[in-house]
Amino acid sequence: MEYKKKVQQLIVDLKTNYLLSVSIDCVIFGFHAGQLKVLLLRWKETDDWCLPGGRILHEENMDEAAHRSLRERTGLHEIFLQQFHTFGDVLRYKNFSQQETLLKLGLPDDALHEFINRDVSVGYYALVEFAEVTPTPDFFTDECRWWDVDQIPLLLFDHNDMIVLALKTLRRQLTYQPIGYNLLPDKFTMPDLQQLYETILGQSLDRRNFQKRMLGYGILERLEERKTGGAHKAPYLYRFNKENYEKALADEILFVG
Amino acid sequence: MEYKKKVQQLIVDLKTNYLLSVSIDCVIFGFHAGQLKVLLLRWKETDDWCLPGGRILHEENMDEAAHRSLRERTGLHEIFLQQFHTFGDVLRYKNFSQQETLLKLGLPDDALHEFINRDVSVGYYALVEFAEVTPTPDFFTDECRWWDVDQIPLLLFDHNDMIVLALKTLRRQLTYQPIGYNLLPDKFTMPDLQQLYETILGQSLDRRNFQKRMLGYGILERLEERKTGGAHKAPYLYRFNKENYEKALADEILFVG
């Protein structure tokens, strides 16, 4: 009963303080050691998974709302979130046969309507080093964890479509912006960088071409150190030239995966 | 008075039949003979210009709403409209010192609020052959016409920002999708195609590199005809291989401007 009351308060809060008809969903990709994962939340008392998301306060910029939602629901701070697409089909709720989800939540019948009202949802994505994250469920969810991108279950709403398009956008981004800062350690090898690109692109790349192209962009500095500990000839260590990297981000120099 | 009544009816219609807090704005680029232009509307009785836009009906997909709005307000049909960004800052109305605009429209004071309410706006863009378009003003506007992209005045709301970002997105699109179908005549020369790319990119390209790259993509068929009428050696005519062109659109083969 305490719970039902809380839910009803949340609905009043929603109607009073937030923009109607617009929501936000976040596709958080996690990268670590050659694996690509997505952060999902499991609704309370169910086996239904969905993306973390939220709504926009009346006096709040949309980008700030995205950051706040993510912070509140997953504990993640200061992520580079990037808007990728807005989802506006009437049938966004096709996978919402799961009205039971809401019933299980203990919502009153008339409150159901509040949740399945038609929203336009703005999709954001980010790529983070997933070892650094502590996923945390929120009021509506029991669990928050990483899923391999190739093993995502059928999600609530149109969230599967969102992940597919976010991944496509992330891959496309590799063709005009550099990637790696904040994802690789401060010093890394060329194979480390290539593995990052290969993981995101989902395909292997030619080693020599990759190296030639990456060096051509002028964003890397080769250090006078080599990586130690390997059995074979130790590869050189590199680091990003921050200034050139920022410039490449802004100029959208053509990057080729 | 007739006019004021009509406006008040429109406001009731707006509140009843459309999604609140979400609007749509369209950046329509026109290309013709080496010029790039944008379609703008001038508000009734003012010198204030803005982009054509609209709102989403409760039972309407957002993409359909974009097409409908554009059709209603500009007479344009079946345009390839592409969503590029959603604008959600609270200060989107910074250039709205022009409340006089609305007063001049003869709106009652309390109706003003309806128009300057905070919306999140989804931006769409398209590129059309502007010689084929007949711009038509709507109920709120006196004039609809093309402006050169480098001579856009200070627009209402954040519409200048929208045009800047739409152009950036269009240029970026050239790096992963082909362009030209529906914009060039059925048969065209390599210089025609190069001019299209140069106009959009706003810079000149090396002739030999451009030709080599374009032919490399496999989307062009060289015809056994040459263009007639020129003083110099007549250039070959080309046409798009529709199947390969569609495939390149879908696959996002890497195109380089």
Side-chain angles (χ1 to χ4, degrees), chain A residues 189 222-229 233-237:
Chain A
T189 66
R222 197 175 81 178
L223 305 175
E224 289 308 307
E225 308 167 52
R226 289 167 183 267
K227 188 174 182 175
T228 51
K233 194 189 164 200
Y236 277 107
L237 286 168

PDB file of all heavy atoms in Angstrom, chain A residues 189 222-229 233-237:
ATOM      1  N   THR A 189      48.642   0.553 -26.988  1.00  0.00           N
ATOM      2  CA  THR A 189      49.341   0.097 -28.193  1.00  0.00           C
ATOM      3  C   THR A 189      48.414   0.228 -29.397  1.00  0.00           C
ATOM      4  O   THR A 189      47.196   0.377 -29.247  1.00  0.00           O
ATOM      5  CB  THR A 189      49.766  -1.379 -28.064  1.00  0.00           C
ATOM      6  OG1 THR A 189      48.570  -2.176 -28.011  1.00  0.00           O
ATOM      7  CG2 THR A 189      50.584  -1.609 -26.796  1.00  0.00           C
ATOM      8  N   ARG A 222      53.637   8.806 -30.700  1.00  0.00           N
ATOM      9  CA  ARG A 222      54.319   7.565 -30.325  1.00  0.00           C
ATOM     10  C   ARG A 222      55.315   7.876 -29.225  1.00  0.00           C
ATOM     11  O   ARG A 222      56.102   8.817 -29.326  1.00  0.00           O
ATOM     12  CB  ARG A 222      55.031   6.957 -31.527  1.00  0.00           C
ATOM     13  CG  ARG A 222      55.379   5.509 -31.289  1.00  0.00           C
ATOM     14  CD  ARG A 222      55.975   4.857 -32.491  1.00  0.00           C
ATOM     15  NE  ARG A 222      57.394   5.178 -32.598  1.00  0.00           N
ATOM     16  CZ  ARG A 222      58.167   4.697 -33.563  1.00  0.00           C
ATOM     17  NH1 ARG A 222      57.650   3.936 -34.509  1.00  0.00           N
ATOM     18  NH2 ARG A 222      59.436   5.018 -33.611  1.00  0.00           N
ATOM     19  N   LEU A 223      55.246   7.098 -28.154  1.00  0.00           N
ATOM     20  CA  LEU A 223      56.156   7.332 -27.025  1.00  0.00           C
ATOM     21  C   LEU A 223      57.452   6.560 -27.247  1.00  0.00           C
ATOM     22  O   LEU A 223      57.529   5.674 -28.104  1.00  0.00           O
ATOM     23  CB  LEU A 223      55.476   6.891 -25.723  1.00  0.00           C
ATOM     24  CG  LEU A 223      54.112   7.560 -25.486  1.00  0.00           C
ATOM     25  CD1 LEU A 223      53.437   6.980 -24.252  1.00  0.00           C
ATOM     26  CD2 LEU A 223      54.282   9.076 -25.350  1.00  0.00           C
ATOM     27  N   GLU A 224      58.445   6.907 -26.455  1.00  0.00           N
ATOM     28  CA  GLU A 224      59.725   6.210 -26.584  1.00  0.00           C
ATOM     29  C   GLU A 224      59.736   4.915 -25.774  1.00  0.00           C
ATOM     30  O   GLU A 224      60.776   4.310 -25.592  1.00  0.00           O
ATOM     31  CB  GLU A 224      60.883   7.130 -26.185  1.00  0.00           C
ATOM     32  CG  GLU A 224      61.146   8.254 -27.189  1.00  0.00           C
ATOM     33  CD  GLU A 224      61.297   7.732 -28.620  1.00  0.00           C
ATOM     34  OE1 GLU A 224      62.119   6.823 -28.851  1.00  0.00           O
ATOM     35  OE2 GLU A 224      60.557   8.217 -29.510  1.00  0.00           O
ATOM     36  N   GLU A 225      58.559   4.525 -25.280  1.00  0.00           N
ATOM     37  CA  GLU A 225      58.469   3.284 -24.506  1.00  0.00           C
ATOM     38  C   GLU A 225      57.816   2.201 -25.355  1.00  0.00           C
ATOM     39  O   GLU A 225      57.021   2.484 -26.239  1.00  0.00           O
ATOM     40  CB  GLU A 225      57.565   3.465 -23.286  1.00  0.00           C
ATOM     41  CG  GLU A 225      57.886   4.625 -22.400  1.00  0.00           C
ATOM     42  CD  GLU A 225      56.730   4.876 -21.435  1.00  0.00           C
ATOM     43  OE1 GLU A 225      56.304   3.925 -20.751  1.00  0.00           O
ATOM     44  OE2 GLU A 225      56.236   6.022 -21.385  1.00  0.00           O
ATOM     45  N   ARG A 226      58.092   0.981 -25.012  1.00  0.00           N
ATOM     46  CA  ARG A 226      57.367  -0.135 -25.599  1.00  0.00           C
ATOM     47  C   ARG A 226      56.635  -0.867 -24.474  1.00  0.00           C
ATOM     48  O   ARG A 226      57.017  -0.777 -23.311  1.00  0.00           O
ATOM     49  CB  ARG A 226      58.336  -1.111 -26.279  1.00  0.00           C
ATOM     50  CG  ARG A 226      58.953  -0.574 -27.559  1.00  0.00           C
ATOM     51  CD  ARG A 226      60.117  -1.447 -27.978  1.00  0.00           C
ATOM     52  NE  ARG A 226      60.802  -0.940 -29.153  1.00  0.00           N
ATOM     53  CZ  ARG A 226      60.530  -1.311 -30.398  1.00  0.00           C
ATOM     54  NH1 ARG A 226      59.573  -2.193 -30.649  1.00  0.00           N
ATOM     55  NH2 ARG A 226      61.219  -0.817 -31.419  1.00  0.00           N
ATOM     56  N   LYS A 227      55.584  -1.554 -24.878  1.00  0.00           N
ATOM     57  CA  LYS A 227      54.836  -2.328 -23.892  1.00  0.00           C
ATOM     58  C   LYS A 227      55.710  -3.492 -23.429  1.00  0.00           C
ATOM     59  O   LYS A 227      56.348  -4.148 -24.249  1.00  0.00           O
ATOM     60  CB  LYS A 227      53.555  -2.858 -24.528  1.00  0.00           C
ATOM     61  CG  LYS A 227      52.621  -3.516 -23.539  1.00  0.00           C
ATOM     62  CD  LYS A 227      51.316  -3.880 -24.187  1.00  0.00           C
ATOM     63  CE  LYS A 227      50.386  -4.495 -23.157  1.00  0.00           C
ATOM     64  NZ  LYS A 227      49.058  -4.752 -23.723  1.00  0.00           N
ATOM     65  N   THR A 228      55.717  -3.751 -22.145  1.00  0.00           N
ATOM     66  CA  THR A 228      56.570  -4.833 -21.660  1.00  0.00           C
ATOM     67  C   THR A 228      55.735  -6.053 -21.311  1.00  0.00           C
ATOM     68  O   THR A 228      54.520  -5.971 -21.152  1.00  0.00           O
ATOM     69  CB  THR A 228      57.330  -4.386 -20.393  1.00  0.00           C
ATOM     70  OG1 THR A 228      56.383  -3.850 -19.472  1.00  0.00           O
ATOM     71  CG2 THR A 228      58.369  -3.337 -20.725  1.00  0.00           C
ATOM     72  N   GLY A 229      56.370  -7.159 -21.223  1.00  0.00           N
ATOM     73  CA  GLY A 229      55.683  -8.351 -20.729  1.00  0.00           C
ATOM     74  C   GLY A 229      55.273  -9.335 -21.818  1.00  0.00           C
ATOM     75  O   GLY A 229      54.977 -10.486 -21.535  1.00  0.00           O
ATOM     76  N   LYS A 233      58.009  -9.404 -30.052  1.00  0.00           N
ATOM     77  CA  LYS A 233      58.589  -8.063 -30.087  1.00  0.00           C
ATOM     78  C   LYS A 233      57.574  -7.089 -29.468  1.00  0.00           C
ATOM     79  O   LYS A 233      56.418  -7.067 -29.870  1.00  0.00           O
ATOM     80  CB  LYS A 233      58.880  -7.681 -31.549  1.00  0.00           C
ATOM     81  CG  LYS A 233      59.791  -6.462 -31.653  1.00  0.00           C
ATOM     82  CD  LYS A 233      59.894  -5.968 -33.090  1.00  0.00           C
ATOM     83  CE  LYS A 233      60.470  -4.567 -33.114  1.00  0.00           C
ATOM     84  NZ  LYS A 233      60.178  -3.862 -34.347  1.00  0.00           N
ATOM     85  N   ALA A 234      58.010  -6.324 -28.487  1.00  0.00           N
ATOM     86  CA  ALA A 234      57.081  -5.465 -27.751  1.00  0.00           C
ATOM     87  C   ALA A 234      56.591  -4.320 -28.634  1.00  0.00           C
ATOM     88  O   ALA A 234      57.392  -3.653 -29.282  1.00  0.00           O
ATOM     89  CB  ALA A 234      57.778  -4.905 -26.519  1.00  0.00           C
ATOM     90  N   PRO A 235      55.274  -4.093 -28.695  1.00  0.00           N
ATOM     91  CA  PRO A 235      54.752  -2.993 -29.518  1.00  0.00           C
ATOM     92  C   PRO A 235      54.977  -1.634 -28.839  1.00  0.00           C
ATOM     93  O   PRO A 235      55.049  -1.554 -27.614  1.00  0.00           O
ATOM     94  CB  PRO A 235      53.255  -3.295 -29.616  1.00  0.00           C
ATOM     95  CG  PRO A 235      52.945  -4.132 -28.426  1.00  0.00           C
ATOM     96  CD  PRO A 235      54.195  -4.856 -28.052  1.00  0.00           C
ATOM     97  N   TYR A 236      55.104  -0.604 -29.650  1.00  0.00           N
ATOM     98  CA  TYR A 236      55.248   0.757 -29.135  1.00  0.00           C
ATOM     99  C   TYR A 236      53.996   1.182 -28.375  1.00  0.00           C
ATOM    100  O   TYR A 236      52.885   0.732 -28.683  1.00  0.00           O
ATOM    101  CB  TYR A 236      55.448   1.756 -30.286  1.00  0.00           C
ATOM    102  CG  TYR A 236      56.881   1.840 -30.746  1.00  0.00           C
ATOM    103  CD1 TYR A 236      57.266   1.282 -31.954  1.00  0.00           C
ATOM    104  CD2 TYR A 236      57.835   2.496 -29.965  1.00  0.00           C
ATOM    105  CE1 TYR A 236      58.591   1.349 -32.387  1.00  0.00           C
ATOM    106  CE2 TYR A 236      59.159   2.572 -30.385  1.00  0.00           C
ATOM    107  CZ  TYR A 236      59.540   1.997 -31.593  1.00  0.00           C
ATOM    108  OH  TYR A 236      60.829   2.070 -31.992  1.00  0.00           O
ATOM    109  N   LEU A 237      54.180   2.086 -27.443  1.00  0.00           N
ATOM    110  CA  LEU A 237      53.038   2.693 -26.763  1.00  0.00           C
ATOM    111  C   LEU A 237      52.732   4.046 -27.414  1.00  0.00           C
ATOM    112  O   LEU A 237      53.642   4.740 -27.869  1.00  0.00           O
ATOM    113  CB  LEU A 237      53.347   2.895 -25.275  1.00  0.00           C
ATOM    114  CG  LEU A 237      53.336   1.613 -24.427  1.00  0.00           C
ATOM    115  CD1 LEU A 237      53.928   1.872 -23.048  1.00  0.00           C
ATOM    116  CD2 LEU A 237      51.911   1.067 -24.304  1.00  0.00           C
TER     117      LEU A 237
END
